[in-house]
Amino acid sequence: MDHIIGFFRLLGQNLSQNFADSSMVFATALLVIVATGMLGGTIAKRLKQPLILGYIMAGVLVGLCARPFFSVQTYSSIESMADLGVALLLFSMGLEFSSDDLKPIWKIAIFGALAQVIFTLFVASGIAWVMYSIPSINFDAGSSSLLFENKISLFMFGVCFVSTSTAVILKTLANRGHDTSLCGRVMIGISIVQDLTVMPLMLVISQFASMGKSQSGIATYLPLFGSLAFMVVMIWAGRRFFPRLLTFASKQDSKEIFLLAVTAIALGAGAVSEAFQVSFSFGAFLAGIALSESEYGKKAFSELMPVRDLFAMLFFVSIGMMLDVHFLMNHALLVAVLVILTGLSRTIFLSAVTWIGRYRNVIPIAMLFGMFPTSEIAFVVISAGRANRMISVTCYSLILCVVVCSMIVGPLINELTSPVYSLLRRTILKKPELNSISIQQTGISGHVVFACMGKFAVSFAQSLKKLSCKSIIIASDYEMFQNAKNAGMNVIYGDAGQDAILSAAGIERANIFALGKNGNLATHLNQIALVHKMNPSIRILTYTETDEEEQAYIDAKADEILSVGFEASMEVLRRILEVQNIKSSSIRNHLDEIRRKRYQAQGGKAVPASGGRTALQNIIELRWLKLSSTSPLVGMTLSQTRIRAITGASIVGIIRNEQITSNPLASTILHAGDLLGMIGTDEEADALIALMAGLPIPSAETIPDAPDNP
């Protein structure tokens, strides 16, 4: 083993020596980072762990073996990669931010986050003061230097730990399909607000540091004035300049040019922020937030998505390689204690704040275990602090070790959320309080539950309501929740993947669970499994666009799966046959036969539009016909119209002002705008349409003695 390690060390030393004097230093650093990221990501994927965890661990391993043999230029290039990676990563996270997403949770996201930031700042600074006061801890014998050289560094230490890693949270939530749930939005909203507070805090602390130097007068306040001026510039550019630049790029009809324009905005904002004495990374972050509110924000984010993971890989592998493993081993106990204390100073407070704010069920538990990893923006703080000599090299190494270790253990600690919540549900939280619910009826049963349907859920629920059918919508989107609530629908705001929300929707008593496409496949499969577990007899309806998805739903035992592409082709064929003047009944029978064969080939799980009907139902079905204001039937009673006697059709229902009347009486008077529900053949329907329009009917009065709706 020693020979193998020696071989790789010698190889690394030779490569470093050869490249140190050439123009290939940057390319070498990039190659090492990409290869390390690919290796770590592959291993993490095989072990079913977050890729970020693999990136960091692989970076640490490579740094341990090769770091002693990196040239100064190579190590500097790796550090530059980390700076660039975190800047572009923060830019992409800023793009993903939306004030609309923050509106429904703005109180807890803003006030809760600000209160936690202040609390954590004083707790972490207090921890630093304790270490500063103990000479045996403050003086590092290994490096013969002080950990904290002045009191300003104590507050800089505190600033590093006030924020949670938004990148780690996003990845963890996305892997579980919870990024659009109420819990996920609260976590992401709080994390974004935390990040926004870091740079102003650092600038204020830098202001105090400047007061103790030889500078005087207005020069002392230049950093603070510069940061305020930069924020004003970003607001102006986000509203005026950025949209014009992206309008120009969009007119070129080229994705490459648009992506280049977006990247230019990120890097340009970073460069301008440096001129205003603000961090490059924070400038890119603000540019992303400013751009997200423009009409091009979503497009910019979607175009940047393919390379976003590359930014994350660059950053996380780089900081893993920069980690001083020997320092970590020499101070393992101190690092472990700081990881725990700084992490809990955020999570315990946030858990309490969300509980007080009446965000119950899994949310306080998710805050306790899910908000543990320290933010990547801490790297920006310690880099700026070291450059401005506000923190020592030893303090830099200590903070970097704590940040990296918290990112490593963060996803692992987050795994405790589900088992702990399940345990509490079985013991303490037997009757969970829902996050936000608007249900008009209690004890509802035999109903339809809509989930992940988007705006279509409201339309479907309204149609069912007109036909006196009951339904409940589970809305993970706040805007849809408000729309459904304003429309008078039964709606629950929450995640359909949580048993508490499904229980509130009465899934145990429902007949149908209709599942849409909002979300990823893994999330939907988990929801189907949970619904089956809570109600084995329920029918699960969904639709799919690909054969792979359809097979996945079949394997998950969904009862009825509609193939969107196939049904679209059937609609095209139906229209072609209608143009060819083929009878409606013949068209329907022909299409039903095609559907039957197609779905039987897929295991019979998908249900065609009329596949389950009998032969009688194929020729006699319910139709709704609207009565115009010019119809001669307006003002007449059903008995006077003699509809059944003249056409053979039977009127079984009337919809008027969104109210349905089933089996109307013969004395019912018809009004303009009424929807008449008739049962009959195609020929009888055609005759009724002619009668309603006042046109002659050749087969009139074929059944003269038959009364209408006796």
Side-chain angles (χ1 to χ4, degrees):
M1 180 62 69
D2 292 338
H3 294 292
I4 296 175
I5 295 175
F7 169 76
F8 280 107
R9 285 184 174 179
L10 180 61
L11 178 62
Q13 187 174 13
N14 290 335
L15 286 174
S16 178
Q17 184 175 359
N18 290 336
F19 285 122
D21 300 326
S22 70
S23 60
M24 293 295 292
V25 174
F26 189 83
T28 303
L30 182 60
L31 174 62
V32 171
I33 291 173
V34 171
T36 302
M38 183 176 66
L39 175 64
T42 302
I43 296 174
K45 186 70 175 178
R46 292 289 181 89
L47 298 177
K48 297 182 179 180
Q49 296 297 320
L51 294 183
I52 289 176
L53 184 61
Y55 294 153
I56 297 175
M57 293 300 295
V60 171
L61 182 61
V62 171
L64 175 63
C65 298
R67 181 177 178 178
F69 309 102
F70 284 158
S71 66
V72 176
Q73 294 92 333
T74 303
Y75 184 81
S76 178
S77 296
I78 293 174
E79 192 169 8
S80 298
M81 289 287 185
D83 290 330
L84 180 62
V86 73
L88 295 176
L89 180 62
L90 288 171
F91 175 69
S92 64
M93 289 191 299
L95 276 177
E96 193 169 6
F97 171 79
S98 173
S99 59
D100 292 335
D101 293 337
L102 198 62
K103 285 179 182 177
I105 57 168
W106 70 272
K107 289 184 179 179
I108 191 67
I110 296 178
F111 296 117
L114 290 177
Q116 173 267 311
V117 164
I118 295 172
F119 176 81
T120 304
L121 174 63
F122 283 100
V123 169
S125 300
I127 294 172
W129 180 82
V130 171
M131 293 188 290
Y132 175 73
S133 303
I134 302 175
S136 59
I137 297 178
N138 193 40
F139 179 74
D140 181 27
S143 60
S144 300
S145 63
L146 293 175
L147 183 60
F148 299 102
E149 297 178 343
N150 51 61
K151 293 183 180 179
I152 292 297
S153 62
L154 305 182
F155 288 101
M156 289 296 290
F157 180 91
V159 171
C160 292
F161 299 103
V162 299
S163 182
T164 306
S165 175
T166 308
V168 175
I169 291 175
L170 281 170
K171 279 291 183 182
T172 304
L173 290 172
N175 289 341
R176 289 164 175 76
H178 294 159
D179 49 328
T180 59
S181 67
L182 177 62
C183 179
R185 291 192 175 189
V186 172
M187 294 175 70
I188 295 171
I190 288 177
S191 180
I192 291 290
V193 175
Q194 288 174 336
D195 288 341
L196 286 171
T197 63
V198 170
M199 197 55 57
L201 280 175
M202 191 178 77
L203 290 171
V204 169
I205 292 171
S206 301
Q207 178 67 38
F208 285 114
S210 300
M211 289 180 180
K213 297 180 180 180
S214 59
Q215 289 179 327
S216 61
I218 196 168
T220 307
Y221 301 95
L222 281 179
L224 190 59
F225 291 153
S227 63
L228 294 175
F230 175 72
M231 291 181 182
V232 172
V233 169
M234 277 297 101
I235 295 174
W236 173 83
R239 294 181 177 179
R240 300 289 184 89
F241 177 69
F242 292 166
R244 291 179 181 178
L245 176 60
L246 294 182
T247 298
F248 172 79
S250 299
K251 290 181 179 179
Q252 310 311 309
D253 196 21
S254 170
K255 288 186 176 182
E256 290 81 0
I257 293 177
F258 189 87
L259 180 59
L260 288 174
V262 172
T263 307
I265 288 174
L267 299 179
V272 173
S273 68
E274 287 282 355
F276 283 96
Q277 300 185 36
V278 183
S279 166
F280 183 95
S281 299
F282 192 72
F285 182 46
L286 286 182
I289 292 177
L291 185 57
S292 69
E293 297 302 318
S294 73
E295 58 182 335
Y296 294 100
K298 297 301 181 184
K299 179 174 174 58
F301 178 69
S302 64
E303 295 295 338
L304 205 62
M305 277 298 293
V307 292
R308 175 179 176 173
D309 290 339
L310 177 62
F311 304 154
M313 184 274 297
L314 283 175
F315 172 67
F316 289 109
V317 172
S318 298
I319 63 168
M321 296 176 70
M322 291 167 57
L323 182 71
D324 190 340
V325 179
H326 296 292
F327 181 92
L328 176 62
M329 295 175 65
N330 293 334
H331 303 82
L333 180 59
L334 177 61
V335 171
V337 171
L338 290 177
V339 168
I340 295 172
L341 293 180
T342 55
L344 292 179
S345 69
R346 288 190 306 273
T347 61
I348 292 178
F349 191 90
L350 288 174
S351 182
V353 166
T354 50
W355 179 269
I356 294 172
R358 301 189 63 81
Y359 286 81
R360 304 294 172 80
N361 292 332
V362 74
I363 295 180
I365 309 300
M367 289 292 163
L368 184 62
F369 296 113
M371 302 291 282
F372 196 85
T374 302
S375 175
E376 49 280 336
I377 207 168
F379 176 76
V380 179
V381 176
I382 59 176
S383 297
R386 187 183 61 175
N388 296 326
R389 297 183 179 181
M390 286 187 289
I391 62 173
S392 65
V393 175
T394 305
C395 186
Y396 175 92
S397 298
L398 177 63
I399 296 175
L400 185 61
C401 287
V402 175
V403 171
V404 172
C405 289
S406 73
M407 288 180 173
I408 292 174
V409 301
L412 303 178
I413 292 176
N414 187 58
E415 295 290 339
L416 297 173
T417 302
S418 294
V420 170
Y421 178 61
S422 299
L423 176 63
L424 293 176
R425 280 292 312 278
R426 293 193 301 268
T427 55
I428 301 175
L429 303 176
K430 292 183 178 180
K431 294 182 179 180
E433 180 180 349
L434 296 173
N435 302 324
S436 182
I437 303 177
S438 172
I439 300 181
Q440 297 174 341
Q441 305 175 33
T442 58
I444 188 172
S445 61
H447 57 289
V448 180
V449 176
F450 294 107
C452 305
M453 282 284 187
K455 61 183 180 181
F456 297 109
V458 177
S459 300
F460 294 160
Q462 287 175 330
S463 298
L464 289 176
K465 187 176 181 180
K466 288 180 180 179
L467 298 173
S468 301
C469 295
K470 295 171 287 188
S471 66
I472 291 179
I473 301 171
I474 298 178
S476 60
D477 180 83
Y478 185 78
E479 183 178 357
M480 192 187 81
F481 168 73
Q482 288 291 351
N483 291 339
K485 184 178 178 181
N486 294 336
M489 300 294 102
N490 293 331
V491 57
I492 296 174
Y493 185 29
D495 180 8
Q498 295 180 1
D499 53 0
I501 299 299
L502 289 174
S503 294
I507 200 69
E508 299 89 346
R509 304 180 301 276
N511 286 342
I512 297 174
F513 179 68
L515 183 62
K517 291 289 292 179
N518 287 8
N520 55 53
L521 179 61
T523 301
H524 296 327
L525 296 179
N526 291 334
Q527 291 169 345
I528 290 174
L530 183 58
V531 169
H532 268 311
K533 181 180 178 181
M534 299 178 69
N535 186 352
S537 62
I538 196 171
R539 294 188 67 80
I540 297 179
L541 281 66
T542 186
Y543 61 93
T544 179
E545 297 175 352
T546 65
D547 293 339
E548 292 78 9
E549 287 182 351
E550 184 172 332
Q551 188 57 51
Y553 285 130
I554 292 173
D555 295 338
K557 303 188 184 313
D559 296 284
E560 302 180 5
I561 309 161
L562 189 68
S563 176
V564 175
F566 175 74
E567 289 299 329
S569 68
M570 289 296 95
E571 178 64 17
V572 172
L573 179 57
R574 182 187 70 79
R575 293 177 182 270
I576 292 174
L577 295 176
E578 284 181 345
V579 173
Q580 297 297 338
N581 295 321
I582 306 298
K583 275 189 174 183
S584 299
S585 57
S586 299
I587 294 174
R588 189 162 51 251
N589 291 335
H590 179 67
L591 297 183
D592 284 350
E593 183 62 25
I594 296 176
R595 287 190 175 96
R596 206 161 15 248
K597 291 180 179 179
R598 194 269 186 218
Y599 288 122
Q600 285 175 352
Q602 292 294 331
K605 281 291 183 181
V607 173
S610 57
R613 296 188 303 201
T614 64
L616 179 61
Q617 287 173 320
N618 279 331
I619 60 175
I620 300 178
E621 63 180 34
L622 177 66
R623 296 174 175 85
W624 291 95
L625 305 176
K626 186 173 184 179
L627 192 65
S628 68
S629 58
T630 58
S631 173
L633 304 186
V634 173
M636 299 174 63
T637 65
L638 275 179
S639 178
Q640 292 170 341
T641 62
R642 303 184 67 229
I643 288 176
R644 185 175 177 186
I646 296 174
T647 67
S650 296
I651 303 300
V652 297
I654 297 176
I655 295 178
R656 180 182 300 159
N657 297 327
E658 300 187 356
Q659 299 294 323
I660 185 170
T661 301
S662 58
N663 297 318
L665 299 176
S667 58
T668 301
I669 299 175
L670 300 182
H671 295 174
D674 284 351
L675 287 175
L676 306 183
M678 62 82 63
I679 289 180
T681 64
D682 292 336
E683 291 76 12
E684 291 168 345
D686 293 340
L688 178 56
I689 292 172
L691 179 64
M692 293 169 62
L695 300 176
I697 303 173
S699 57
E701 302 191 27
T702 54
I703 316 177
D705 297 326
D708 283 283
N709 293 70

